[in-house]
Amino acid sequence: IAFLLQIQLQLQQLTEAPYTMTISKRFMTVANLCNCLSLVALLIAILYVGNQRTGDSSVFDLNSLSFASSMNHEEESRHAHQSSRANSVTILPSTARQMFQRDGYIVLRGLLDSDALERLKAAGKGFMRKQTEEAQNTRLPKLFHTIGPHALFLSPPGEDDHPALNAFREVSLESLIPKVVAELMGLDPAKDSLRVVRDIFLAKGPEEKACGWHVDGISLWPTKEKSPSNHTGINAWIAIDDMPAEYGGSMVVSPGSHAADWKFEAYRVIGSLPAQPNGGDISIEEYVNNTSAFVCDLHKASPDLAKRIDATTKSFDLRRGDIIFADRWLFHKTTPLTEAGMKFLAKKDKDDPFLMRYSVRYEPGDSALISGGLSLEESILLNPENAGRTLDDVAANDQFPWYPKAWPAVDEDEIENLMSFVSTSMQAATIMRKEALGNFLKQYSGIIHRYD
């Protein structure tokens, strides 16, 4: 504003007294005017380059960055991160990486092309049809209409049934998403690897309940708190539908909460891994004794702490294809649908009255699985020798691809083994997990219903 006022003053002097001014004074006035104009232009440039975002000030639009011209998304995004050229190209601007370190999240727009998004939408609908066919009388979940863990395993390559489901595998393993995650982690393609530790498809309908402030439990992050290389996992949360903040039903975050001074108090209340003894290698009984509230009930168990987190809430006007990249230990929650959101769903196609999202959790290959009796991990239930192994060690010693490699290149042998894996080991492990989960819930039910 000061610069603009100075410009106005200089222009006024030049126009009101052009002939009464000495040549030297006129020269100085013009020089001052040019300097002010240059400084204003510089400030505008700094603001533009520093943000490089559109609409929502927290969203980075990759279509406006130099990367968009250096790599054609339509032709090269699939398998692109596997090439040496692609691994030498930096996708993210430095401001995005700095924001992630500070706030624990970034939102990217334009990473997935329209074809990939159409396939992902079809995959969501295909999964919901598949679920209906395989579980006709399944009771609807309380928090979401549909919850689909291990979505990338649902339809391996070559399977004719519901081929659209392959889009989960394509997006989680073969898109540019793993490359972005590797950049945010600072991984080295010469010595590091990145693997999918868990993925899940979710469809939000008019359910009344929503999960409050939390970090995900071991069912979604079965690895230890950090890898030996001091990296933490990253969740890539993909909006399959437009999700304006006014509709609700989306994910909101608490910026900087992964490093907040109150985080351990919150961990203790909801029994998060960092608050558990022995790195989480404990029994179910020990876990229950160390937990005050169900993972979604922080607001009931500690209202004052929840209000403190509420004051930091960051919501987003998400467009289809926007991706929230979030640190594993960033506190987040799902908001209930608002009245506007209910009206929006009511007007949608009767076969698609939902807000869909697909979430992929990535960990470095040197991250180790929790090894105690608390773990309900399928790979350990079927093969106890996997307990405590790193994800890379599981891949090297187990015949099945429990944690597919996504970067710096997918493992083609793992992809080929998906079909036999899904039809044999995965099905057997799922049955074993249901039994183990039943035993867990018997001991944990008191925590779940403590604040009902």
Side-chain angles (χ1 to χ4, degrees), residues 11 14 38 99 103 145 197 216 287 357 400-401 410 420 430:
L11 287 173
L14 285 173
S38 298
M99 177 179 173
D103 296 338
H145 176 276
V197 71
D216 294 328
Y287 173 74
R357 70 288 315 266
F400 296 115
V410 298
S420 59
T430 299

Side-chain angles (χ1 to χ4, degrees), residues 50 77 242 407 413:
S77 63
D242 289 340
W407 181 91
D413 290 336

Side-chain angles (χ1 to χ4, degrees), residues 164-186:
L165 295 175
N166 286 331
F168 291 126
R169 172 180 54 82
E170 294 168 2
V171 167
S172 61
L173 299 177
E174 300 170 5
S175 73
L176 290 169
I177 292 175
K179 177 169 173 53
V180 169
V181 173
E183 283 189 27
L184 291 173
M185 288 185 182

Side-chain angles (χ1 to χ4, degrees), residues 254-267:
S254 171
S257 56
H258 64 310
D261 57 4
W262 45 258
K263 64 179 183 179
F264 284 105
E265 180 184 354
Y267 293 156

Side-chain angles (χ1 to χ4, degrees), residues 51 70 109 155 165 177 182 198 267 307 328 408 447:
N51 284 314
S70 67
R109 177 171 295 156
S155 182
L165 295 175
I177 292 175
R198 183 72 82 251
Y267 293 156
K307 288 178 181 178
R328 172 182 180 178
I447 300 292

